[in-house]
Amino acid sequence: MKAFSMTDVGKKRLVNQDYVYTRQEPVGNIPNLFVVADGMGGHKAGDFASKYTTEVLAREIEKSEKLGPQPIIMDAIQIANHRLIEAAGKDIKLKGMGTTLVAATIIEHTLYFANIGDSRLYIINDKIRQLSKDHSLVEEMVRLGGINEEEAKHHPDKNIITRAIGAKEPVEPDFFEYRLSRGDIILMCTDGLSNMLEDEEIYRIVQGRRDIVEAVEYLIDAANENGGKDNIGIVLVEPFADEVSK
């Protein structure tokens, strides 16, 4: 397995509220952990929210005595949500803060992940597919048939999210599992990437680079060239990179 992550402040923001975490060694009872978080809130609150949530999540996973990725990750998310709400209640400057979250682990050949908000997880192989489900006002409108996917891409309310860590208790993450195939690449990212680049452009960049480090750097450059309107957070994982074909 190979993994690489990076964040960038973008062209328009003064503070980087995106936070990424990659650990290819065991975290408690799961063998690895990958996280992307996009914080929101006033001055300094958003960057605190994304970093603090990720740190609490990793710590709670580390000490969990549960077995199985779903109960371990889902419990840790609830605790992180509770702690973030608690922290906001103690400091007026942090009031109203929150963060999106995608947290993933790979066990043998299966990907398990949870998501809250509009940060995304894609699988890239012969095509690009979004596996996560956006918790956004516009996505709700698409599901209800009010607008189509093309209209959603350019809707003025596309950044309004309907679920976030820190908003209320309990938080309601979606949890997915996906059987990985040889050649799959996992892309986790904040909307600073997905709003700046079409999925097909993301696909071409990832498949056209010599390795995942170069791919992440090119993705960030392309997002900034297209306007860089938000912070950019990316985790790229090659689950089968070190395996020898038989």
Short mmCIF file of all heavy atoms in Angstrom, two decimals, residues 1-6 124 183-187 202-220 234-239 241-242:
data_model
loop_
_atom_site.label_atom_id
_atom_site.label_comp_id
_atom_site.label_asym_id
_atom_site.label_seq_id
_atom_site.Cartn_x
_atom_site.Cartn_y
_atom_site.Cartn_z
N MET A 1 0.85 -1.20 0.00
CA MET A 1 0.00 0.00 0.00
C MET A 1 0.88 1.25 0.00
O MET A 1 1.92 1.29 0.64
CB MET A 1 -0.89 0.00 1.26
CG MET A 1 -1.85 1.17 1.33
SD MET A 1 -2.68 1.29 2.94
CE MET A 1 -3.56 -0.26 2.99
N LYS A 2 0.42 2.25 -0.76
CA LYS A 2 1.08 3.55 -0.74
C LYS A 2 0.02 4.62 -0.51
O LYS A 2 -1.10 4.51 -1.02
CB LYS A 2 1.80 3.81 -2.06
CG LYS A 2 3.06 2.98 -2.25
CD LYS A 2 3.74 3.31 -3.56
CE LYS A 2 4.98 2.43 -3.75
NZ LYS A 2 5.56 2.60 -5.10
N ALA A 3 0.38 5.65 0.23
CA ALA A 3 -0.55 6.75 0.48
C ALA A 3 0.22 8.06 0.52
O ALA A 3 1.38 8.11 0.92
CB ALA A 3 -1.29 6.53 1.79
N PHE A 4 -0.46 9.13 0.07
CA PHE A 4 0.14 10.46 0.12
C PHE A 4 -0.99 11.46 0.35
O PHE A 4 -2.09 11.32 -0.19
CB PHE A 4 0.88 10.78 -1.18
CG PHE A 4 1.61 12.10 -1.13
CD1 PHE A 4 2.74 12.24 -0.36
CD2 PHE A 4 1.15 13.19 -1.86
CE1 PHE A 4 3.42 13.46 -0.30
CE2 PHE A 4 1.81 14.41 -1.81
CZ PHE A 4 2.96 14.55 -1.03
N SER A 5 -0.70 12.48 1.16
CA SER A 5 -1.72 13.49 1.46
C SER A 5 -1.11 14.87 1.47
O SER A 5 0.09 15.04 1.72
CB SER A 5 -2.39 13.20 2.81
OG SER A 5 -1.43 13.26 3.85
N MET A 6 -1.97 15.87 1.22
CA MET A 6 -1.49 17.25 1.21
C MET A 6 -2.69 18.19 1.33
O MET A 6 -3.80 17.86 0.88
CB MET A 6 -0.74 17.53 -0.10
CG MET A 6 -0.05 18.88 -0.16
SD MET A 6 0.77 19.18 -1.77
CE MET A 6 2.16 18.09 -1.64
N ILE A 124 -10.96 5.34 -8.28
CA ILE A 124 -10.49 5.58 -9.64
C ILE A 124 -9.82 4.31 -10.15
O ILE A 124 -8.92 3.77 -9.51
CB ILE A 124 -9.48 6.75 -9.67
CG1 ILE A 124 -10.19 8.05 -9.21
CG2 ILE A 124 -8.88 6.93 -11.06
CD1 ILE A 124 -9.25 9.21 -8.98
N GLY A 183 -5.67 -2.34 -9.09
CA GLY A 183 -5.65 -1.14 -9.93
C GLY A 183 -6.47 0.00 -9.36
O GLY A 183 -6.37 1.14 -9.83
N ASP A 184 -7.29 -0.27 -8.33
CA ASP A 184 -8.08 0.79 -7.72
C ASP A 184 -7.18 1.81 -7.02
O ASP A 184 -6.21 1.44 -6.36
CB ASP A 184 -9.04 0.22 -6.66
CG ASP A 184 -10.28 -0.41 -7.27
OD1 ASP A 184 -10.52 -0.22 -8.48
OD2 ASP A 184 -11.02 -1.10 -6.54
N ILE A 185 -7.54 3.06 -7.16
CA ILE A 185 -6.92 4.15 -6.40
C ILE A 185 -8.03 4.84 -5.63
O ILE A 185 -9.10 5.11 -6.17
CB ILE A 185 -6.20 5.15 -7.32
CG1 ILE A 185 -5.05 4.47 -8.07
CG2 ILE A 185 -5.68 6.35 -6.54
CD1 ILE A 185 -4.38 5.35 -9.14
N ILE A 186 -7.80 5.10 -4.35
CA ILE A 186 -8.78 5.77 -3.50
C ILE A 186 -8.41 7.24 -3.40
O ILE A 186 -7.28 7.59 -3.05
CB ILE A 186 -8.82 5.15 -2.10
CG1 ILE A 186 -9.19 3.66 -2.18
CG2 ILE A 186 -9.81 5.89 -1.19
CD1 ILE A 186 -8.79 2.87 -0.94
N LEU A 187 -9.36 8.11 -3.75
CA LEU A 187 -9.17 9.55 -3.61
C LEU A 187 -10.16 10.08 -2.58
O LEU A 187 -11.37 9.90 -2.73
CB LEU A 187 -9.40 10.26 -4.95
CG LEU A 187 -9.53 11.79 -4.88
CD1 LEU A 187 -8.22 12.45 -4.44
CD2 LEU A 187 -9.98 12.36 -6.22
N ILE A 202 -10.26 15.24 -12.88
CA ILE A 202 -9.59 14.58 -11.76
C ILE A 202 -9.07 13.21 -12.21
O ILE A 202 -7.91 12.85 -11.96
CB ILE A 202 -10.55 14.41 -10.56
CG1 ILE A 202 -10.90 15.77 -9.96
CG2 ILE A 202 -9.93 13.48 -9.50
CD1 ILE A 202 -11.99 15.74 -8.90
N TYR A 203 -9.93 12.48 -12.92
CA TYR A 203 -9.56 11.14 -13.42
C TYR A 203 -8.32 11.21 -14.33
O TYR A 203 -7.37 10.45 -14.16
CB TYR A 203 -10.75 10.54 -14.17
CG TYR A 203 -10.42 9.24 -14.87
CD1 TYR A 203 -10.37 8.04 -14.15
CD2 TYR A 203 -10.15 9.20 -16.24
CE1 TYR A 203 -10.06 6.84 -14.79
CE2 TYR A 203 -9.84 8.01 -16.88
CZ TYR A 203 -9.79 6.84 -16.15
OH TYR A 203 -9.49 5.65 -16.77
N ARG A 204 -8.34 12.14 -15.27
CA ARG A 204 -7.22 12.25 -16.22
C ARG A 204 -5.92 12.60 -15.51
O ARG A 204 -4.85 12.06 -15.84
CB ARG A 204 -7.53 13.31 -17.28
CG ARG A 204 -8.52 12.88 -18.34
CD ARG A 204 -8.49 13.80 -19.55
NE ARG A 204 -8.79 15.19 -19.19
CZ ARG A 204 -10.03 15.69 -19.14
NH1 ARG A 204 -11.07 14.92 -19.40
NH2 ARG A 204 -10.22 16.96 -18.82
N ILE A 205 -5.98 13.48 -14.53
CA ILE A 205 -4.77 13.87 -13.80
C ILE A 205 -4.20 12.69 -13.01
O ILE A 205 -3.01 12.40 -13.08
CB ILE A 205 -5.05 15.07 -12.87
CG1 ILE A 205 -5.28 16.34 -13.70
CG2 ILE A 205 -3.89 15.27 -11.88
CD1 ILE A 205 -5.77 17.53 -12.90
N VAL A 206 -5.06 11.99 -12.29
CA VAL A 206 -4.59 10.86 -11.46
C VAL A 206 -4.01 9.75 -12.33
O VAL A 206 -2.93 9.21 -12.03
CB VAL A 206 -5.73 10.32 -10.56
CG1 VAL A 206 -5.30 9.04 -9.86
CG2 VAL A 206 -6.13 11.37 -9.53
N GLN A 207 -4.68 9.42 -13.42
CA GLN A 207 -4.21 8.32 -14.28
C GLN A 207 -3.03 8.72 -15.15
O GLN A 207 -2.30 7.86 -15.64
CB GLN A 207 -5.36 7.81 -15.18
CG GLN A 207 -6.48 7.12 -14.40
CD GLN A 207 -6.07 5.78 -13.81
OE1 GLN A 207 -4.99 5.65 -13.23
NE2 GLN A 207 -6.92 4.78 -13.95
N GLY A 208 -2.82 10.02 -15.33
CA GLY A 208 -1.76 10.47 -16.23
C GLY A 208 -0.43 10.77 -15.55
O GLY A 208 0.54 11.11 -16.22
N ARG A 209 -0.38 10.63 -14.22
CA ARG A 209 0.84 10.94 -13.50
C ARG A 209 1.62 9.66 -13.19
O ARG A 209 1.06 8.58 -13.10
CB ARG A 209 0.53 11.69 -12.20
CG ARG A 209 -0.32 12.94 -12.39
CD ARG A 209 0.46 14.15 -12.86
NE ARG A 209 0.87 14.19 -14.25
CZ ARG A 209 0.08 14.59 -15.26
NH1 ARG A 209 -1.17 14.92 -15.05
NH2 ARG A 209 0.54 14.64 -16.48
N ARG A 210 2.92 9.82 -12.92
CA ARG A 210 3.76 8.63 -12.73
C ARG A 210 3.57 7.98 -11.36
O ARG A 210 3.86 6.81 -11.18
CB ARG A 210 5.23 8.98 -12.96
CG ARG A 210 5.80 9.94 -11.95
CD ARG A 210 7.20 10.37 -12.28
NE ARG A 210 7.60 11.46 -11.40
CZ ARG A 210 8.65 12.22 -11.64
NH1 ARG A 210 9.40 12.01 -12.70
NH2 ARG A 210 8.96 13.19 -10.80
N ASP A 211 3.16 8.78 -10.34
CA ASP A 211 2.91 8.20 -9.02
C ASP A 211 1.90 9.08 -8.28
O ASP A 211 1.52 10.16 -8.76
CB ASP A 211 4.21 8.04 -8.22
CG ASP A 211 4.97 9.36 -8.02
OD1 ASP A 211 4.32 10.42 -7.92
OD2 ASP A 211 6.21 9.33 -7.96
N ILE A 212 1.48 8.63 -7.08
CA ILE A 212 0.42 9.36 -6.37
C ILE A 212 0.91 10.70 -5.80
O ILE A 212 0.12 11.62 -5.65
CB ILE A 212 -0.23 8.50 -5.26
CG1 ILE A 212 0.80 8.01 -4.24
CG2 ILE A 212 -1.02 7.36 -5.86
CD1 ILE A 212 0.18 7.31 -3.03
N VAL A 213 2.20 10.81 -5.53
CA VAL A 213 2.75 12.09 -5.05
C VAL A 213 2.58 13.14 -6.14
O VAL A 213 2.06 14.25 -5.91
CB VAL A 213 4.23 11.95 -4.64
CG1 VAL A 213 4.81 13.32 -4.27
CG2 VAL A 213 4.37 10.97 -3.48
N GLU A 214 3.02 12.82 -7.34
CA GLU A 214 2.89 13.74 -8.46
C GLU A 214 1.42 14.03 -8.76
O GLU A 214 1.04 15.17 -9.06
CB GLU A 214 3.57 13.16 -9.70
CG GLU A 214 3.66 14.14 -10.85
CD GLU A 214 4.40 13.56 -12.04
OE1 GLU A 214 3.77 12.85 -12.86
OE2 GLU A 214 5.62 13.83 -12.15
N ALA A 215 0.56 13.01 -8.63
CA ALA A 215 -0.88 13.19 -8.90
C ALA A 215 -1.48 14.20 -7.94
O ALA A 215 -2.24 15.10 -8.35
CB ALA A 215 -1.60 11.85 -8.79
N VAL A 216 -1.17 14.10 -6.64
CA VAL A 216 -1.70 15.04 -5.65
C VAL A 216 -1.22 16.46 -5.95
O VAL A 216 -2.00 17.42 -5.92
CB VAL A 216 -1.31 14.62 -4.22
CG1 VAL A 216 -1.65 15.73 -3.22
CG2 VAL A 216 -2.02 13.32 -3.83
N GLU A 217 0.05 16.60 -6.27
CA GLU A 217 0.60 17.93 -6.58
C GLU A 217 -0.08 18.54 -7.81
O GLU A 217 -0.42 19.73 -7.82
CB GLU A 217 2.11 17.83 -6.78
CG GLU A 217 2.86 17.50 -5.49
CD GLU A 217 4.31 17.12 -5.71
OE1 GLU A 217 4.69 16.86 -6.88
OE2 GLU A 217 5.08 17.09 -4.72
N TYR A 218 -0.30 17.72 -8.83
CA TYR A 218 -0.96 18.21 -10.05
C TYR A 218 -2.42 18.57 -9.79
O TYR A 218 -2.93 19.54 -10.35
CB TYR A 218 -0.86 17.15 -11.16
CG TYR A 218 0.37 17.28 -12.04
CD1 TYR A 218 1.63 17.00 -11.53
CD2 TYR A 218 0.28 17.68 -13.37
CE1 TYR A 218 2.77 17.11 -12.34
CE2 TYR A 218 1.40 17.79 -14.18
CZ TYR A 218 2.64 17.50 -13.65
OH TYR A 218 3.76 17.61 -14.45
N LEU A 219 -3.10 17.78 -8.95
CA LEU A 219 -4.50 18.08 -8.61
C LEU A 219 -4.60 19.44 -7.93
O LEU A 219 -5.48 20.25 -8.25
CB LEU A 219 -5.08 16.99 -7.71
CG LEU A 219 -5.41 15.64 -8.37
CD1 LEU A 219 -5.72 14.60 -7.31
CD2 LEU A 219 -6.58 15.77 -9.36
N ILE A 220 -3.71 19.70 -6.99
CA ILE A 220 -3.72 20.98 -6.27
C ILE A 220 -3.41 22.13 -7.23
O ILE A 220 -4.09 23.18 -7.22
CB ILE A 220 -2.74 20.95 -5.08
CG1 ILE A 220 -3.33 20.07 -3.96
CG2 ILE A 220 -2.46 22.36 -4.56
CD1 ILE A 220 -2.41 19.81 -2.81
N ILE A 234 -6.40 16.69 0.18
CA ILE A 234 -6.42 15.46 -0.62
C ILE A 234 -5.66 14.34 0.09
O ILE A 234 -4.58 14.54 0.62
CB ILE A 234 -5.75 15.67 -2.00
CG1 ILE A 234 -6.46 16.79 -2.79
CG2 ILE A 234 -5.73 14.39 -2.82
CD1 ILE A 234 -5.73 17.19 -4.07
N VAL A 235 -6.25 13.13 0.07
CA VAL A 235 -5.56 11.89 0.43
C VAL A 235 -5.71 10.96 -0.76
O VAL A 235 -6.81 10.74 -1.25
CB VAL A 235 -6.17 11.23 1.68
CG1 VAL A 235 -5.56 9.84 1.90
CG2 VAL A 235 -5.97 12.10 2.91
N LEU A 236 -4.59 10.41 -1.23
CA LEU A 236 -4.61 9.45 -2.34
C LEU A 236 -3.97 8.15 -1.86
O LEU A 236 -2.87 8.19 -1.28
CB LEU A 236 -3.83 10.03 -3.53
CG LEU A 236 -4.26 9.68 -4.95
CD1 LEU A 236 -5.75 9.92 -5.19
CD2 LEU A 236 -3.43 10.47 -5.96
N VAL A 237 -4.66 7.03 -2.07
CA VAL A 237 -4.17 5.74 -1.58
C VAL A 237 -4.18 4.71 -2.71
O VAL A 237 -5.18 4.58 -3.43
CB VAL A 237 -5.06 5.20 -0.43
CG1 VAL A 237 -4.45 3.91 0.15
CG2 VAL A 237 -5.25 6.24 0.67
N GLU A 238 -3.07 3.99 -2.85
CA GLU A 238 -2.98 2.84 -3.76
C GLU A 238 -2.95 1.58 -2.89
O GLU A 238 -1.88 1.22 -2.38
CB GLU A 238 -1.72 2.92 -4.59
CG GLU A 238 -1.78 3.86 -5.76
CD GLU A 238 -0.53 3.78 -6.61
OE1 GLU A 238 0.56 4.07 -6.10
OE2 GLU A 238 -0.64 3.43 -7.79
N PRO A 239 -4.08 0.89 -2.73
CA PRO A 239 -4.12 -0.24 -1.79
C PRO A 239 -3.22 -1.41 -2.19
O PRO A 239 -2.71 -2.12 -1.33
CB PRO A 239 -5.59 -0.68 -1.83
CG PRO A 239 -6.33 0.47 -2.43
CD PRO A 239 -5.38 1.17 -3.32
N ALA A 241 -0.38 -1.29 -4.13
CA ALA A 241 0.87 -0.80 -4.74
C ALA A 241 2.06 -1.73 -4.51
O ALA A 241 2.90 -1.87 -5.39
CB ALA A 241 1.19 0.58 -4.19
N ASP A 242 2.16 -2.36 -3.35
CA ASP A 242 3.34 -3.17 -3.03
C ASP A 242 3.14 -4.67 -3.26
O ASP A 242 4.03 -5.46 -2.99
CB ASP A 242 3.76 -2.95 -1.57
CG ASP A 242 4.14 -1.50 -1.31
OD1 ASP A 242 4.68 -0.89 -2.23
OD2 ASP A 242 3.86 -0.99 -0.21
#
